[in-house]
Amino acid sequence: MQLNTITNQTIALAGIAQAAALVQQLATKGTADPLAMETSLASVLKIDSDSVIDIYGSLDGIKLGLTQLNIQMTGFKIVNPEQARYCASLVFLENQLSDRKDLLNIIQIGISKAQAQSEHFGLLHENVLANLGDVYQNTISTLQPRIMVNGNQEYLSRPEIANKIRACLLAGVRSAILWRQCGGTRWKFLFYRKKIQAELQILLKKV
């Protein structure tokens, strides 16, 4: 399987954008797009896959991410600065995480546990979400700078929503790992912007 293609890089970027959009939805509304949520969380548990799109199940599963990425890349100014900040932070933290074998080992153990829990309870069960939330809090959340999530304090203070937000941030890091594995870099994002935009249009017509 050839990973280093503009299609795979665009799909991985959409995965990051989707995680950021879900975090914002949860923090401001207390709820999130159910299909996008399930897709992003399932991607965390997909360690080995035959293709990049298989990690997300289908293009339909990352429609929210493709749409949000397209909105952010179309205009001359950043349409949603909050989402853009989450995306940039996720990529930055993943870069730091790649050098921390101790944290990667903790994440691997936590994901194995979540896989077993998911088979028993179902992917969106509170036990699975709490576990994924703990994995994020005990690993990525210890790296600097921490991602500060803005939203309605009523929602942010509720443990079940906080767990969902952390689980979505973990999904964002999963997509950031995929972006790097597919040859994605900060410079590539800047210089291949038009190619990524063109690929987005192709992918959006398929969902």
Side-chain angles (χ1 to χ4, degrees):
M1 173 178 69
Q2 187 186 358
L3 283 175
N4 195 347
T5 68
I6 197 72
T7 301
N8 286 343
Q9 289 163 13
T10 305
I11 289 170
L13 279 174
I16 300 170
Q18 180 154 301
L22 288 169
V23 168
Q24 188 175 51
Q25 286 179 1
L26 288 164
T28 57
K29 300 175 184 175
T31 59
D33 182 308
L35 175 60
M37 182 89 173
E38 191 164 347
T39 299
S40 290
L41 295 184
S43 74
V44 178
L45 307 186
K46 282 267 186 86
I47 304 300
D48 299 309
S49 295
D50 295 329
S51 66
V52 169
I53 192 58
D54 184 52
I55 289 168
Y56 302 104
S58 68
L59 278 179
D60 286 338
I62 54 164
K63 183 178 180 180
L64 174 65
L66 290 167
T67 304
Q68 292 300 316
L69 184 61
N70 187 51
I71 290 169
Q72 294 283 48
M73 294 189 74
T74 302
F76 290 103
K77 65 177 182 178
I78 296 174
V79 179
N80 192 320
E82 202 70 48
Q83 277 188 31
R85 179 173 66 82
Y86 295 151
C87 288
S89 297
L90 288 166
V91 172
F92 182 80
L93 289 174
E94 187 281 324
N95 193 41
Q96 287 193 59
L97 181 66
S98 63
D99 295 326
R100 293 290 303 272
K101 289 186 179 179
D102 56 332
L103 297 184
L104 287 168
N105 188 48
I106 294 170
I107 290 172
Q108 190 174 15
I109 293 168
I111 287 173
S112 294
K113 181 182 176 184
Q115 286 170 328
Q117 287 177 315
S118 177
E119 288 172 14
H120 186 71
F121 298 113
L123 178 62
L124 299 180
H125 191 274
E126 60 184 37
N127 289 8
V128 180
L129 294 169
N131 178 35
L132 292 176
D134 283 345
V135 169
Y136 177 84
Q137 197 165 22
N138 295 330
T139 57
I140 298 153
S141 189
T142 65
L143 300 171
Q144 296 297 327
R146 290 179 62 184
I147 298 178
M148 303 304 292
V149 175
N150 293 329
N152 186 323
Q153 199 55 43
E154 179 191 345
Y155 302 130
L156 293 173
S157 61
R158 283 163 56 180
E160 71 276 16
I161 292 178
N163 283 333
K164 286 180 181 177
I165 288 172
R166 292 184 187 117
C168 287
L169 289 171
L170 187 63
V173 171
R174 169 68 177 108
S175 290
I177 290 171
L178 190 61
W179 157 251
R180 180 171 50 81
Q181 288 173 335
C182 293
T185 64
R186 185 183 170 203
W187 296 112
K188 187 162 279 188
F189 180 75
L190 293 172
F191 292 123
Y192 282 44
R193 192 178 180 90
K194 287 187 177 179
K195 285 187 178 182
I196 293 168
Q197 282 177 296
E199 187 62 32
L200 269 172
Q201 304 315 308
I202 295 168
L203 293 173
L204 280 165
K205 286 176 184 174
K206 296 179 181 179
V207 295

